[in-house]
Amino acid sequence: MKKDKLIIAAAGAGKTTFLVNESLKIKDERVLITTFTQASEKEIRKKIIEINQCIPPNVTIQTWFSFLLQHGVRPFQGALYDGSVTGLILISGRSGMKGTTKLGIPYYFSEETEFERHYFSKDGKIFSDKIAKFVLRANDRSSGAVLDRLSKIYPHIFIDEVQDLAGFDLELLKLLFASASEILMVGDPRQATLSTNNGAKNNKFKKSAIVNFFEDDSINVETDTSKLTVNYRCNNKICGISNKLFPDLPQITSGNTVSTDHDGVFLVKPSEAEKYLRLYDAMQLRDSIKAKTNEKYAAMNFGESKGLSFDRILIYPTDPILKWLKDENSELAPISRCKLYVALTRARYSIGIVCDYRNGKGFEHMEQWSLQSST
């Protein structure tokens, strides 16, 4: 009997490398590696070539939506839809809005009575937030033919960044678990800054709460929380503070034993931020482009930095993040926790936190930095 597996990985633990190495072990059967974003897909391709010099002919790498469009929608679209699916249109919110009421409240095309407008744009592109639901409907209408065909094409399906799946994509995961394909998933719920859709379906499993989805007794998935728990990027001081964001998840240990003349997490006053940037060439990280940074130096959003590594970073925190850094019992929304975790775990050696701190309580495990103290 097959045993599907989920690996809960730490930032910097080499989960993409692990997934690639597992795929390269399989020589005589086809393997699909799928992930949500195009950036992650490129990283997987890069890693395979780095390790193997080429992508083996039995290994296919696709984004999640491309995979669903090719193997779930197009072969079986006629079971549900008389037209031709011309492509995919990416949706960040909710698709299929029909109009608004006099009070400005939106209402949407019905799946039952306005099927085509519910799923498709006027030019026949399927909405990304509906594609998994369409595949599920097609599978039901064809008596399971969608999943049967897929498992025959790919005996092995590997899913990277599984924490990004949401809504009906999780229902599709259940069907994959029930199929003949062996499913291997890796992900870090602490880095759940993106979602395949923002629908209400399975809303309780969004972001870091996706770990609860796999605890359902009806899902026969073996969860491994010990294999990839060493963060080889961040030093011990950085791992220590990032662990506090998700105390209920397995604690991460550091595999970075390199010492420099500036290691740890530091509070940097706004008036000294430019001095810090000049001295340490730190990458500026912010919650959004709205945050004011130093235009003389490179900057990027928290989410944009996911998957990247820097020797040193300088973080511009939001007010809720700053309150949490001062007091770990302070409330911090799940998405903000994930974004902060991503930001903190980009640095190998040191993190600067821009804030107008005052001497007194709070900000444990952080040092107050000044140009004088660094010389």
Side-chain angles (χ1 to χ4, degrees):
M1 182 178 179
K2 73 159 185 167
K3 188 68 175 181
D4 298 325
K5 179 173 277 191
L6 166 68
I7 310 292
I8 301 293
K15 62 182 177 58
T16 300
T17 301
F18 168 79
L19 203 65
V20 164
N21 283 329
E22 290 299 301
S23 72
L24 293 174
K25 292 177 183 178
I26 301 169
K27 307 295 184 181
D28 56 351
E29 292 183 313
R30 296 189 68 182
V31 180
L32 169 71
I33 306 178
T34 182
T35 188
F36 176 31
T37 67
Q38 291 180 332
S40 294
E41 180 199 13
K42 289 179 182 177
E43 181 62 25
I44 293 168
R45 291 182 183 277
K46 178 183 175 183
K47 184 61 66 174
I48 289 183
I49 293 171
E50 178 183 306
I51 294 172
N52 195 61
Q53 286 72 58
C54 67
I55 298 173
N58 68 313
V59 176
T60 299
I61 307 157
Q62 282 186 300
T63 63
W64 179 252
F65 288 148
S66 177
F67 156 58
L68 295 186
L69 187 63
Q70 180 179 352
H71 293 289
V73 175
R74 286 196 162 126
F76 296 92
Q77 58 187 296
L80 296 173
Y81 176 53
D82 292 332
S84 177
V85 180
T86 60
L88 175 80
I89 182 167
L90 294 173
I91 299 295
S92 59
R94 180 178 176 182
S95 64
M97 188 175 78
K98 188 174 183 178
T100 57
T101 66
K102 292 180 179 180
L103 296 177
I105 300 172
Y107 57 95
Y108 298 84
F109 290 106
S110 165
E111 180 180 12
E112 289 73 25
T113 61
E114 299 160 303
F115 183 89
E116 184 172 342
R117 297 302 305 276
H118 177 77
Y119 281 100
F120 301 98
S121 64
K122 291 181 179 180
D123 57 354
K125 290 185 173 69
I126 190 166
F127 297 124
S128 63
D129 64 326
K130 306 275 179 61
I131 190 169
K133 184 166 71 166
F134 186 94
V135 174
L136 289 164
R137 300 288 186 266
N139 190 65
D140 288 342
R141 184 67 63 87
S142 63
S143 301
V146 175
L147 269 294
D148 182 61
R149 173 183 179 273
L150 181 60
S151 61
K152 289 176 180 175
I153 297 173
Y154 295 114
H156 305 274
I157 297 177
F158 293 176
I159 303 174
D160 193 17
E161 306 287 11
V162 71
Q163 76 276 354
D164 293 340
L165 301 187
F168 281 95
D169 297 285
L170 296 181
E171 296 302 305
L172 194 54
L173 268 188
K174 291 180 182 178
L175 287 187
L176 289 174
F177 300 151
S179 74
S181 299
E182 291 191 357
I183 313 300
L184 173 62
M185 301 164 286
V186 295
D188 185 357
R190 290 158 289 221
Q191 297 188 69
T193 59
L194 302 173
S195 290
T196 49
N197 65 79
N198 293 310
K201 185 72 174 179
N202 288 317
N203 190 55
K204 62 182 178 180
F205 300 126
K206 278 190 175 179
K207 306 302 179 186
S208 60
I210 193 172
V211 293
N212 301 322
F213 171 77
F214 297 99
E215 293 174 354
D216 189 331
D217 292 337
S218 67
I219 297 176
N220 187 30
V221 173
E222 177 186 331
T223 301
D224 187 329
T225 60
S226 61
K227 187 181 294 294
L228 297 174
T229 57
V230 178
N231 182 336
Y232 293 98
R233 179 189 301 127
C234 306
N235 62 29
N236 192 56
K237 291 180 179 179
I238 295 172
C239 285
I241 190 171
S242 62
N243 274 333
K244 294 178 181 299
L245 281 161
F246 297 96
D248 295 333
L249 289 175
Q251 297 295 281
I252 306 306
T253 57
S254 172
N256 177 0
T257 58
V258 176
S259 295
T260 75
D261 59 356
H262 182 66
D263 296 328
V265 184
F266 300 86
L267 302 174
V268 180
K269 288 186 175 181
S271 59
E272 296 200 299
E274 183 167 355
K275 299 173 187 175
Y276 190 91
L277 289 167
R278 185 172 64 249
L279 186 60
Y280 297 115
D281 192 28
M283 169 59 73
Q284 300 177 100
L285 297 182
R286 63 203 174 193
D287 180 66
S288 74
I289 198 171
K290 295 178 181 179
K292 185 179 179 181
T293 58
N294 191 314
E295 295 181 357
K296 298 177 184 177
Y297 298 87
M300 61 175 56
N301 295 347
F302 294 159
E304 184 186 1
S305 71
K306 184 178 175 182
L308 302 178
S309 299
F310 306 98
D311 285 350
R312 311 182 189 283
I313 63 171
L314 184 65
I315 292 177
Y316 295 81
T318 62
D319 286 341
I321 285 176
L322 192 59
K323 288 178 181 178
W324 182 87
L325 289 168
K326 187 173 183 179
D327 177 6
E328 296 159 18
N329 295 314
S330 178
E331 184 177 350
L332 190 61
I335 183 61
S336 293
R337 284 182 183 271
C338 291
K339 285 184 175 182
L340 178 57
Y341 178 85
V342 167
L344 292 171
T345 55
R346 296 313 93 199
R348 296 184 181 94
Y349 308 119
S350 65
I351 298 171
I353 308 288
V354 178
C355 69
D356 191 13
Y357 61 85
R358 299 286 188 272
N359 292 328
K361 295 181 180 179
F363 297 114
E364 293 183 13
H365 314 294
M366 286 168 262
E367 301 177 43
Q368 296 177 3
W369 182 89
S370 67
L371 184 60
Q372 289 75 21
S373 65
S374 67
T375 57

